[in-house]
Amino acid sequence: MRTALVTGSLIVAALLPQGPRVQAPLPDRLADTGGGSQLITAVAPAPGSTTGRLTWWDRRAGRWYAAGSAEARFGAKGLTEGSTRTQGTDTTPTGLYALPYAFGIRPAPAGTAYPYRPVTEGSWWCQDNASDSYNRWVEPLPADCAPGEAEHLVTYEQQYAHAMLIAFNYDRPVRGRGAGIFLHVNGKGATAGCVSVPERAMRKILRWADPGRGPHIAIGTESGELAVTRY
């Protein structure tokens, strides 16, 4: 009789409506988070999207918690696989990347612990495929980097008020893949391949980021071939 009662209880429980499943935090669903205890996710609805959501996360006591979030902008031509991206396509590369240092035309926000490089009149980012300084900050502009193939950082007063380098194609640059991919302050619209957020959010990120906790950024779409969970 006891067995029948137990079996009946299990059947009734199975027939009762179940509550919605609580989905694990996004970092727990990624293939890799970079090994640190801080992470930024930049997620677009679809490959052709120029807007989406950026969230910064902390890992404490074995769990990920969202520390903040803001609307994000992506490349004017959307997102593309980072490992096969082509320079000059106005696409944001998907993937998981380190954030080596921050920089800006304006001083670092109070409380910033991240390495922060000030932009001067002599600061350039070389994007010339023929230059030995391809995909590097140069100061001053070297002779082998054509001015038309480089960004004069100080002229982007709004976007580079505050920024962080995204280490796309950075450690061992592949010519023609792309250079100068940053997380920076919003301009007038979509980017040329960077990720951008409102200035208030960028300042919050700089105060939050702790170089000792190994923050990375994961860029991708909600689902599909470029899903952020692949990285």
Side-chain angles (χ1 to χ4, degrees), residues 23 27 31 39 78 80 91 100 125 133 149-150 153 165 186 201 208 228-229:
Q23 196 172 35
L39 178 72
T80 193
T91 54
W125 198 274
S133 301
E149 298 293 329
L153 299 179
L165 168 63
N186 283 342
W208 159 85
V228 70
T229 50

Side-chain angles (χ1 to χ4, degrees), residues 43 50-56 69-74 184 186 195-198 201:
V43 184
T50 59
T51 60
R53 198 77 190 168
L54 184 138
T55 305
W56 49 106
S69 185
E71 182 180 344
R73 296 177 182 174
F74 300 100
H184 63 70
N186 283 342
V195 180
S196 74
V197 292

Side-chain angles (χ1 to χ4, degrees), residues 23 46-47 58 69 93-94 118 121 155 157-158 160 166 203 214-215:
Q23 196 172 35
D58 285 305
S69 185
T94 58
E121 280 292 335
T155 62
E157 184 176 356
Q158 183 173 343
Y160 299 158
I166 296 175
R203 293 174 67 86

